[in-house]
Amino acid sequence: MEHTEERNQTPVTVLRLAFIGLAVAALLLGYHGMGIYLAEHPDYRQSPIDVLYFTLQLYVLDAEPLSEGGDLPWQLQVARFAAPAVTVFAVVETARVLLTSELHRLSAR
């Protein structure tokens, strides 16, 4: 029985590692791309903390500087799709864990 449980958890671990990799890639690409984009748009502050703040906004689809549209660096293009995907995955994984624990609790009754 332990061997089966161990085998069932391996894909989840690989999936979580892929999730972490995607989250880090989205953050790094977003930060670099946002820095490039803000350098071309002087109406926004460009301090490192501001660039980080705008990059973190990508995870919730609300990066203020991007509301005007226009041509974006490829790094920012990748990050603006990868970051929300990370958010969606986190919500789905959280729901899965909560539902699984609830099902185990109900089956124990």
Side-chain angles (χ1 to χ4, degrees):
M1 182 75 175
E2 278 186 42
H3 182 65
T4 306
E5 287 179 21
E6 194 175 298
R7 190 176 64 201
N8 287 341
Q9 289 192 1
T10 301
V12 173
T13 303
V14 171
L15 193 58
R16 286 182 183 162
L17 288 175
F19 163 74
I20 292 168
L22 183 63
V24 169
L27 184 64
L28 294 176
L29 286 172
Y31 187 84
H32 182 67
M34 189 67 74
I36 294 169
Y37 181 78
L38 291 178
E40 298 169 358
H41 295 83
D43 46 330
Y44 290 101
R45 294 185 56 165
Q46 299 174 23
S47 71
I49 197 74
D50 290 321
V51 174
L52 179 62
Y53 179 75
F54 291 137
T55 302
L56 291 175
Q57 287 181 337
L58 292 172
Y59 288 89
V60 292
L61 295 171
D62 191 30
E64 182 185 334
L66 305 183
S67 62
E68 298 173 6
D71 193 29
L72 303 175
W74 70 267
Q75 298 92 337
L76 193 52
Q77 286 284 19
V78 171
R80 74 182 192 137
F81 288 100
V86 168
T87 301
V88 168
F89 177 81
V91 169
V92 169
E93 182 65 12
T94 301
R96 185 192 69 79
V97 168
L98 291 174
L99 289 173
T100 300
S101 65
E102 186 66 21
L103 288 174
H104 284 291
R105 188 182 66 81
L106 288 174
S107 68
R109 285 184 174 182

